[in-house]
Amino acid sequence: MSAGEKSAPAPVEAAATDAAALPALRRRITAVLIASQILGGLGVATGIALAAVLAQEVSGTEALSGLAPTATVAGTALLSVPLAALMAARGRRPGLVVAYLIGAVGAGVVVLAAAVGSFPLLLLGMAGFGAASSANLQARFAAADLAEPDRRARAISTVVWATTIGAVLGPNIAAPAGHSVSGLGIPQSAGPFLWAAGVFLVSAVVVAVLLRPDPLLTARALAPAGEDSREGRSLRAGVRAVRESPRARLALLTVTVAHTAMVSIMSMTPVALSHHGAGIELIGLVISGHIAGMYAFSPVMGRLSDRFGRLTVIGLAVGLLSCAALLAGTAGASHGRTAAGLFLLGLGWSAGLVSGSALLTDSVPGPARAAVQGLSDLTMNAAAGVGGVAAGLIVSQASYGWLNAIGAGLLLPLAALAVLRAVRPRPVPPRAVPPHPVRPGD
């Protein structure tokens, strides 16, 4: 086979380049991504529900229980870049399949660690488990690959919304999953991870079989001649694309700050509630409302972002997150006020993630998008991991109120940069077509 033949698009991708077939193709790919998100979200939520409990049982101390979810966040961050590099080279399908397979292996290692009582092995498994979260995050960008520019945020938000189903169902099947391993020599708290491994394997099969043609490779096949180059797909090219685009930098800051503020405040809310006499049922209800705010209203954020512009919804995210910090930070013994704050925290995260992800995709060249998107997930998860650790220290040394005040302070540079970008006209080169129609606030 000649070099020219090697570089040609795969027949299945080439066959999908007929513009008339794109609407049906978009719907089918979105349906597959929704299915994988439901499954992936179910697996992640099922396992993570008892991660801290399992870590306490294996380590023998409550002080180390928080390291299990931290290891998952670290794994998600560290695996984002190599998975994005694989997608940039081979397409979305291989990257998502490999991510779910790593997640399944990680979940299996967690079960093994629980059976033999090895805490270091448990942390290693939790890091691998984080690959499934990376797959769920990357799926939102796969939805944007073939989306029309003025519907890109809606495509992203639809896939984010699908996570709601798995995130709500997951914790509710953790108990049956635990009971299912009774008599197998495995702690019941490891049962959810055994189920998660199976769910991730099913997710990998669904993506491998049904995500055809590959959305990223199809988008490249549809790109005008000369606008896609292998040189532009590297991580270095992605870093350069972000550095050269003020709007890409704003987008990266948006998803990072929104995610860090959300994780930091949310992770310590159960502790604050318990200090004010809340029981486990009430804590679970507050967190459920928070998760609903994160995912259930993401289609609304997508429509607002496409209709009124990315910068407008970034401003909305700043406002929602600020109100959330104010309500939760001053709630004291008022559980209803804390619940309202956590719900707004989820809404603010949703607004920031959807608008920031859409703006990031809009603002960089097509060849560099996969690398930039992986860089985005690395940055946001690494920052959130640091934020989660710092949150515990802040609450222990100061208070939950101070944590919320610091979280609100993180929003100030984001707000300033968003205002700066809003008042500056967006440059459009004479030969270029705007990534999406320019609207007020965009």
Side-chain angles (χ1 to χ4, degrees):
M1 183 179 289
S2 68
E5 292 173 327
K6 288 181 180 179
S7 62
V12 68
E13 273 77 34
T17 58
D18 181 6
L22 274 179
L25 179 59
R26 290 187 187 109
R27 289 192 295 270
R28 187 161 64 81
I29 285 179
T30 299
V32 174
L33 291 172
I34 287 174
S36 70
Q37 279 295 90
I38 293 173
L39 290 169
L42 177 65
V44 170
T46 301
I48 210 68
L50 295 179
V53 175
L54 179 60
Q56 180 178 345
E57 292 178 359
V58 174
S59 67
T61 173
E62 185 178 351
L64 297 179
S65 62
L67 290 181
T70 300
T72 301
V73 173
T76 302
L78 293 175
L79 290 167
S80 295
V81 171
L83 289 172
L86 176 59
M87 292 182 193
R90 301 293 182 182
R92 300 290 186 190
R93 184 171 61 248
L96 293 175
V97 169
V98 168
Y100 283 126
L101 291 178
I102 294 175
V105 171
V109 170
V110 169
V111 175
L112 175 62
V116 302
S118 172
F119 188 66
L121 188 61
L122 175 71
L123 295 182
L124 179 63
M126 291 302 302
F129 183 83
S133 293
S134 185
N136 289 349
L137 287 170
Q138 287 288 323
R140 75 189 192 276
F141 291 121
D145 287 334
L146 291 175
E148 296 171 295
D150 62 347
R151 297 180 65 88
R152 190 168 282 149
R154 270 172 278 189
I156 291 171
S157 66
T158 299
V159 173
V160 172
W161 169 85
T163 310
T164 310
I165 301 173
V168 171
L169 289 178
N172 293 298
I173 67 172
H179 296 318
S180 70
V181 299
S182 298
L184 298 179
I186 301 172
Q188 287 195 10
S189 52
F193 287 94
L194 187 61
W195 282 33
V199 172
F200 293 155
L201 289 175
V202 174
S203 301
V205 171
V206 168
V207 172
V209 174
L210 299 179
L211 196 64
R212 297 174 181 273
D214 189 284
L216 181 58
L217 300 185
T218 302
R220 287 175 179 168
L222 288 168
E227 288 194 9
D228 184 45
S229 66
R230 293 184 180 275
E231 294 77 12
R233 301 175 190 173
S234 66
L235 178 60
R236 181 178 298 179
V239 172
R240 184 171 60 249
V242 172
R243 189 173 60 244
E244 293 175 351
S245 171
R247 287 177 178 266
R249 295 197 297 271
L250 171 60
L252 189 61
L253 182 65
T254 298
V255 296
T256 300
V257 169
H259 195 57
T260 302
M262 184 276 292
V263 169
S264 300
I265 296 173
M266 179 272 294
S267 64
M268 297 309 298
T269 298
V271 176
L273 285 169
S274 64
H275 286 169
H276 289 288
I280 189 170
E281 294 83 5
L282 179 58
I283 292 173
L285 185 62
V286 171
I287 297 302
S288 294
H290 169 68
I291 292 173
M294 288 176 63
Y295 298 116
F297 295 89
S298 58
V300 176
M301 301 305 175
R303 286 184 175 274
L304 291 175
S305 186
D306 284 336
R307 175 66 179 84
F308 298 105
R310 318 308 193 210
L311 297 185
T312 300
V313 180
I314 289 174
L316 175 62
V318 170
L320 288 170
L321 291 169
S322 298
C323 289
L326 176 63
L327 283 173
T330 60
S334 174
H335 298 153
R337 188 164 180 158
T338 302
L342 263 288
F343 177 72
L344 290 180
L345 186 71
L347 280 182
W349 176 87
S350 180
L353 184 76
V354 170
S355 59
S357 298
L359 181 61
L360 187 69
T361 304
D362 292 340
S363 304
V364 297
R369 281 176 183 165
V372 169
Q373 291 157 353
L375 178 65
S376 169
D377 286 350
L378 166 66
T379 305
M380 65 184 275
N381 282 290
V386 173
V389 173
L393 296 175
I394 293 169
V395 171
S396 64
Q397 298 300 316
S399 67
Y400 180 67
W402 270 107
L403 172 63
N404 281 271
I406 293 172
L410 293 176
L411 300 170
L412 293 177
L414 173 59
L417 188 56
V419 170
L420 180 63
R421 297 314 319 162
V423 298
R424 288 185 178 179
R426 181 179 183 179
V428 180
R431 67 176 186 84
V433 176
H436 62 84
V438 179
R439 299 181 172 89
D442 199 8

